[in-house]
């Protein structure tokens, strides 16, 4: 289960404190020119060491090993890449070799595999999402060339909504309290023509939801008005169709509202596809935590290490990447 997608497939590998993480992108269309500056900008959005994030320092510059010409044209063959881990402090996790942190995957990985890499969370670490951003940036470029744009933004931290500056002030306040906080990332896919997605089990909204729920710390996804629609009457959320005679894109059928988030019957309507992803607070905080030893004893310990006070901050480019990978796969 380390592969995402059917037609365009991303397989990722590596652990948080291993020598490198990386991926293989298979099925990407041939003959497409990669914009490496675009890729670098997307990687910079997720890179640690910025305001409101973990102070782990990583370049996050992928090294491509296959699938591209020297000029950056895709060959249609598997695109292999690695991202070297440079700033690991595995000694911070020594006490966790035989203990389980609350709200982490320490216990469940041990329950499944019989052993685990405790350093930085191992394979369960959000470090893995850097590989998704590489693949997502390539997919996003291909989609942009076809008029499909994907935007993602942090819209809420805890109970606070407002400007990005206001949200980051709240993240900083939480960090100073040696605590963490959850957040919400919104995503909009515009320019997607009507008819993308497959009925029943291949629904576009279902695939998007599965993609978002595969991101570390994601705990909820809603399409369009989502859970708010459960509080409404049918007459309040009707997306009335009309003919847009001024539309030059060929999608003349539009809706006056977009309560359903651009998807009906699992197929795109031609309206913007909108979704929101809820992220839980970072499990490891600066305050003492109740840990469970492998011998079954509970003890209180302050867990060292460098952790994001709000996972949602760096989840923004990951949400965008997973949306891009889902959409390119659905289109192809």
């Amino acid at each position: 289960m380390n592969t995402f997608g059917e037609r365009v497939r991303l397989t990722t590998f590596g652990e948080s404190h291993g020598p490198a993480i990386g991926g293989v992108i298979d099925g990407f269309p041939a003959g497409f020119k990669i914009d490496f500056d675009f890729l670098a900008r997307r990687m910079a959005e997720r890179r640690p060491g910025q305001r409101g994030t973990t102070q782990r320092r990583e370049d996050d510059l992928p090294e491509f090993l296959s699938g591209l010409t020297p000029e950056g044209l895709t060959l249609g063959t598997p695109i292999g890449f690695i991202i070297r881990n440079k700033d690991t402090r595995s000694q911070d996790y020594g006490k966790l070799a035989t203990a389980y942190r609350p709200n982490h995957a320490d216990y469940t990985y041990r329950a499944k595999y019989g052993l685990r890499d405790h350093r930085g969370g191992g394979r369960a670490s959000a470090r893995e999402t850097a590989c998704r951003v590489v693949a997502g940036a390539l997919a996003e470029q291909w989609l942009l060339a076809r008029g499909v744009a994907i935007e993602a933004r942090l819209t809420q931290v805890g109970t606070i909504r407002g400007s990005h500056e206001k949200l980051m002030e709240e993240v900083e306040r939480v960090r100073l309290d040696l605590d963490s906080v959850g957040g919400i990332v919104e995503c909009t896919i515009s320019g997607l023509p009507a008819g993308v997605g497959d009925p029943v089990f291949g629904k576009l909204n279902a695939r998007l939801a599965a993609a978002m729920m595969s991101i570390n710390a994601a705990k909820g996804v809603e399409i369009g008005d989502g859970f708010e629609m459960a509080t409404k009457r049918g007459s309040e959320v009707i997306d009335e169709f009309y003919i847009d005679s001024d539309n030059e894109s060929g999608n003349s059928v539009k809706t006056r509202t977009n309560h359903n988030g651009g998807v009906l019957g699992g197929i795109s309507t031609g309206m913007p596809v909108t979704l929101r992803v809820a992220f839980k607070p970072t499990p490891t905080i600066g305050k003492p935590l109740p840990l469970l030893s492998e011998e079954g004893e509970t003890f209180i310990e302050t867990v060292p290490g460098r952790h994001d006070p709000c996972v949602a901050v760096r989840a923004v480019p990951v949400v965008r990447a997973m949306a891009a990978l889902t959409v390119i796969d659905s289109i192809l």
Side-chain angles (χ1 to χ4, degrees), residues 224-282:
D225 289 356
F227 286 95
E228 184 66 20
M229 290 187 77
T231 69
K232 303 293 184 180
R233 294 191 175 191
S235 57
E236 296 178 288
V237 292
I238 289 176
D239 288 331
E240 178 188 350
F241 288 111
Y242 73 99
I243 300 298
D244 181 5
S245 57
D246 296 328
N247 192 310
E248 298 178 355
S249 69
N251 293 335
S252 60
V253 178
K254 299 294 182 183
T255 57
R256 300 192 185 280
T257 53
N258 195 24
H259 298 293
N260 289 281
V263 183
L264 292 171
I267 302 170
S268 62
T269 66
M271 295 293 288
V273 176
T274 61
L275 57 106
R276 303 170 79 231
V277 189
F279 291 90
K280 70 179 183 180
T282 312

Side-chain angles (χ1 to χ4, degrees), residues 88-111:
T88 59
R89 292 199 328 214
S90 301
Q91 66 273 15
D92 288 351
Y93 297 87
K95 295 181 180 179
L96 298 178
T98 57
Y100 308 129
R101 295 168 292 178
N103 292 22
H104 267 280
D106 298 339
Y107 169 70
T108 52
Y109 264 62
R110 180 62 180 265

Side-chain angles (χ1 to χ4, degrees), residues 19-86:
I21 55 176
V24 176
I25 309 165
D26 201 4
F28 196 91
F32 185 78
K33 183 71 165 63
I34 301 300
D35 183 340
F36 292 101
D37 290 335
F38 182 98
L39 170 60
R41 290 194 298 272
R42 288 294 183 248
M43 296 302 293
E45 293 179 28
R46 200 218 70 93
R47 187 169 57 226
Q50 305 177 70
R51 181 186 178 192
T53 72
T54 171
Q55 292 309 297
R56 178 172 174 172
R57 301 286 180 176
E58 296 287 356
D59 296 334
D60 276 4
L61 297 175
E63 302 173 31
F64 288 93
L65 308 177
S66 64
L68 301 177
T69 69
E71 297 76 26
L73 282 173
T74 57
L75 290 167
T77 56
I79 301 172
F81 63 90
I82 60 171
I83 304 171
R84 298 187 187 277
N85 294 324
K86 297 180 178 179

